[in-house]
Amino acid sequence: MQLDFPVWLRIEHWVNVLFVTLLIRSGIEVLATHPKLYWRNDSRPGTEWARFTRLDMPTDKLYDTLDEEESYSPVLSLPGHKNLGMGRHWHFLSVIGWIATGLVYYVLLFVTGQWHRYVPYSWSIFPTAWNDLLTYLSFDLPPLLPGQPFDAIQKLSYAAVIFLLAPFQILTGAAQSPAVEARFPRYVRLWGGRQAARSLHFFGLLAFVGFIAVHLIMVGLWGWGQLNALMIFGRVRDPRWAIAWSLVIVAAIVLVHVAATVMALKRPRAVQRVLGAVVTGVRKVLLRPLVSKQDYSAAKLSDEHRVNGKPPDTDHYKIMAAHDFTDWTLEVGGLVRSPMTLSLEQLRELGEQQNQRVLHNCIQGWSSIGEWGGLPMRDLVELVEPLPQARYVCLLTMQDTGRDEPSAPGTGRFYEVIDLSLAWHPEALLAYEMNGAPLPLKHGAPLRLRLETQVGFKMAKWIERVEFVSDYSAIGKGMGGWREDNVYFDKNVEI
Ligand SMILES: Nc1nc2c(c(=O)[nH]1)N[C@H]1C(S)=C(S)[C@@H](COP(=O)(O)O)O[C@H]1N2
Ligand SMILES: [Mo]
């Protein structure tokens, strides 16, 4: 009887344990930043079908989704304590590692013929599995399939995890990428929408946790030492050795988790730089080429578009608002041939107004659909004629976070830097209208950015200056935006 597991499979198994557990903990961190699940794309407050928070939001004043964030323990989430930026870096690094491991696994499974063990190829496995279940329920162990190391239930559950659950998590994960959603809106509809994909991704998490729990119990029942001997040495050996080695391996995995957590909490900038570089490399190849093709129908517009960030709390801003921003001006300068200062009126007359009905994706996980009207970025770029050295566009806002958002983990003027190449995208928009009316104050009046393949934080609101630059390392803390500087988000955020 061929019971042995080839060495590649044993290595794959333990590497997989590492990545899946990293994915689970970092995924919980991502969930913590908006611990509510919805079915509908508008993520309307109160319509969540599940919530993992006790925080209640005020009804009498403006709150934003940053106020809804939860702080979980580092034991549960990677790294815990409201560190979405770090959680995402670990999640995406692990996704890359996990998918790479999975691809190698699939290939080797079929090349070596091991697939026989994992792919059910006869219907008779179902009645056998039913009998096995009855055996388990009478607290007995069922027989193994002839010539195979598993019983029927085991075989079916491994097949389900390998060929259904893992692809399901990848597909529902991809359905949450704003770039994928912007380019393939129908694909997201296939899952029932952006929030349904997020909810399903959560079910996938539960399924993985459930599988791991049952798997561990079963290994315990069948004999921890015996089965670990097979998965570590590839053959039956003294179970005491296997138990010792299994503990060493588990300890090593725990050590990686502890190191990842401690690094994220103590050296977030280093983690951001190193992991961000890896993830950005992959993201730029896979997602950067995608261009938004969204055009939702008017009926799909969210009655209530969620908000992030609090408006400038100054008399100057309030007076401008009271005057419908007739005394506001936009400065456009930096590395351009023709710098200009534009009033709102002039900006409106500069080019033809473009309208787009699109899904907004906050990095925290909520979404809403809105219609935005304004001047395409490329019209402005063509007008001011950037010099050849210009590679980025920096959007400076009137919002001082220390003053306007005191609970924010940072101070200073909110700004964001985008790659100049993104400014040419057909749906890169300097919006002055929302849903057919002048931009509301909370959504960034008088001017905000729309960048439909990126997550929401890049779309600076309350803009007053647009600067073309060759380098952003001297702006703020040099990471390419206020959020990048202060909460360690990645600068390239197609997911
Ligand atoms: N100036 C400024 N712009 C900002 C923010 C902010 O805090 N300050 N938040 C960003 C984030 S995180 C998101 S999700 C979107 C939210 O846009 P909305 O409030 O119009 O939905 O604005 C972005 N623009
Ligand atoms: Mo956001």
Side-chain angles (χ1 to χ4, degrees):
M1 196 154 65
Q2 275 287 103
L3 282 186
D4 64 315
F5 295 96
V7 65
W8 65 263
L9 193 138
R10 287 177 266 140
I11 295 173
E12 285 268 345
H13 172 267
W14 296 110
V15 173
N16 192 42
V17 173
L18 175 66
F19 282 133
V20 168
T21 49
L22 285 173
L23 281 169
I24 290 174
R25 282 185 63 234
S26 56
I28 294 173
E29 182 69 51
V30 175
L31 179 64
T33 186
H34 192 72
K36 294 169 186 173
L37 296 170
Y38 313 85
W39 292 118
R40 292 171 28 144
N41 272 340
D42 59 5
S43 340
R44 191 193 169 114
T47 64
E48 66 268 16
W49 65 265
R51 47 151 64 211
F52 308 95
T53 171
R54 290 211 189 87
L55 298 174
D56 275 317
M57 291 301 116
T59 46
D60 54 337
K61 62 179 206 281
L62 178 71
Y63 70 89
D64 59 26
T65 44
L66 295 167
D67 300 321
E68 299 178 72
E69 190 164 22
E70 264 295 346
S71 172
Y72 289 166
S73 154
V75 176
L76 189 66
S77 61
L78 171 59
H81 302 315
K82 290 194 187 180
N83 276 292
L84 174 62
M86 286 297 109
R88 282 170 52 93
H89 286 301
W90 280 111
H91 202 66
F92 296 132
L93 184 85
S94 307
V95 163
I96 294 169
W98 186 59
I99 291 181
T101 317
L103 288 177
V104 172
Y105 181 82
Y106 278 172
V107 170
L108 288 174
L109 209 57
F110 288 97
V111 167
T112 61
Q114 286 277 326
W115 64 273
H116 283 283
R117 288 178 171 178
Y118 301 91
V119 182
Y121 43 83
S122 155
W123 291 110
S124 69
I125 192 159
F126 289 101
T128 317
W130 178 250
N131 281 333
D132 289 359
L133 182 66
L134 298 180
T135 316
Y136 275 121
L137 288 178
S138 57
F139 294 99
D140 236 331
L141 296 180
L144 300 183
L145 291 165
Q148 296 182 40
F150 310 132
D151 65 50
I153 293 190
Q154 256 181 307
K155 180 166 177 157
L156 279 179
S157 16
Y158 292 155
V161 171
I162 298 167
F163 299 109
L164 297 176
L165 184 55
F168 176 83
Q169 277 310 70
I170 295 168
L171 292 172
T172 50
Q176 296 175 71
S177 146
V180 171
E181 291 166 2
R183 176 61 185 76
F184 307 107
R186 288 220 187 111
Y187 171 69
V188 182
R189 233 169 286 156
L190 214 69
W191 295 104
R194 165 64 162 84
Q195 294 306 321
R198 183 167 174 261
S199 292
L200 292 172
H201 199 64
F202 175 77
F203 285 133
L205 162 74
L206 293 187
F208 261 110
V209 172
F211 170 78
I212 293 169
V214 175
H215 181 66
L216 288 175
I217 292 171
M218 284 297 159
V219 172
L221 282 181
W222 281 88
W224 186 270
Q226 207 185 329
L227 290 189
N228 268 287
L230 288 178
M231 201 35 91
I232 297 169
F233 310 114
R235 60 195 150 87
V236 185
R237 249 187 107 172
D238 184 350
R240 279 171 305 178
W241 267 112
I243 291 172
W245 270 103
S246 72
L247 292 180
V248 170
I249 294 174
V250 170
I253 290 170
V254 170
L255 209 67
V256 174
H257 275 265
V258 171
T261 310
V262 171
M263 272 195 310
L265 293 174
K266 297 255 155 78
R267 307 274 314 276
R269 187 69 78 210
V271 174
Q272 176 188 27
R273 284 187 199 278
V274 176
L275 302 200
V278 177
V279 174
T280 296
V282 175
R283 183 161 31 212
K284 276 201 163 163
V285 173
L286 291 180
L287 300 176
R288 181 48 69 88
L290 303 180
V291 170
S292 181
K293 295 256 163 85
Q294 301 176 81
D295 190 15
Y296 284 83
S297 71
K300 293 259 165 65
L301 291 176
S302 304
D303 301 332
E304 199 179 320
H305 197 291
R306 274 185 174 271
V307 170
N308 239 349
K310 302 208 177 62
D313 188 15
T314 60
D315 290 341
H316 179 59
Y317 179 76
K318 286 172 193 162
I319 292 168
M320 282 197 300
H323 295 165
D324 295 327
F325 295 99
T326 44
D327 30 14
W328 168 88
T329 52
L330 178 72
E331 302 273 346
V332 189
L335 298 171
V336 293
R337 206 150 286 142
S338 2
M340 26 182 100
T341 303
L342 299 161
S343 69
L344 194 53
E345 183 78 12
Q346 289 169 319
L347 196 74
R348 282 174 173 275
E349 284 163 4
L350 214 54
E352 208 181 316
Q353 177 174 336
Q354 174 175 313
N355 286 305
Q356 57 204 43
R357 284 190 288 263
V358 290
L359 180 70
H360 176 94
N361 277 289
C362 174
I363 194 166
Q364 292 182 276
W366 56 267
S367 60
S368 296
I369 299 175
E371 175 172 346
W372 308 92
L375 179 75
M377 272 289 265
R378 59 167 186 269
D379 289 0
L380 186 74
V381 176
E382 275 169 359
L383 212 72
V384 297
E385 297 176 274
L387 299 173
Q389 309 90 285
R391 291 184 55 206
Y392 306 99
V393 186
C394 178
L395 302 129
L396 288 149
T397 77
M398 297 178 271
Q399 185 200 26
D400 179 319
T401 51
R403 176 192 65 210
D404 305 325
E405 187 109 47
S407 58
T411 54
R413 185 132 70 121
F414 192 97
Y415 75 97
E416 284 297 334
V417 176
I418 64 166
D419 293 355
L420 182 52
S421 58
L422 286 173
W424 293 101
H425 273 216
E427 289 190 328
L429 195 71
L430 286 167
Y432 43 71
E433 279 191 6
M434 179 190 188
N435 298 339
L439 199 58
L441 298 192
K442 60 183 180 181
H443 290 292
L447 194 69
R448 63 97 47 87
L449 180 67
R450 294 297 314 171
L451 210 54
E452 307 305 349
T453 56
Q454 306 267 307
V455 295
F457 78 86
K458 294 306 286 186
M459 307 182 204
K461 310 197 282 188
W462 311 292
I463 297 174
E464 65 172 359
R465 192 174 166 84
V466 178
E467 185 100 6
F468 290 72
V469 296
S470 60
D471 173 38
Y472 52 82
S473 58
I475 309 173
K477 296 178 191 165
M479 299 306 291
W482 189 92
R483 293 267 146 100
E484 291 90 329
D485 284 348
N486 296 289
V487 292
Y488 310 101
F489 288 172
D490 215 329
K491 183 179 152 287
N492 299 284
V493 274
E494 279 92 7
I495 192 162

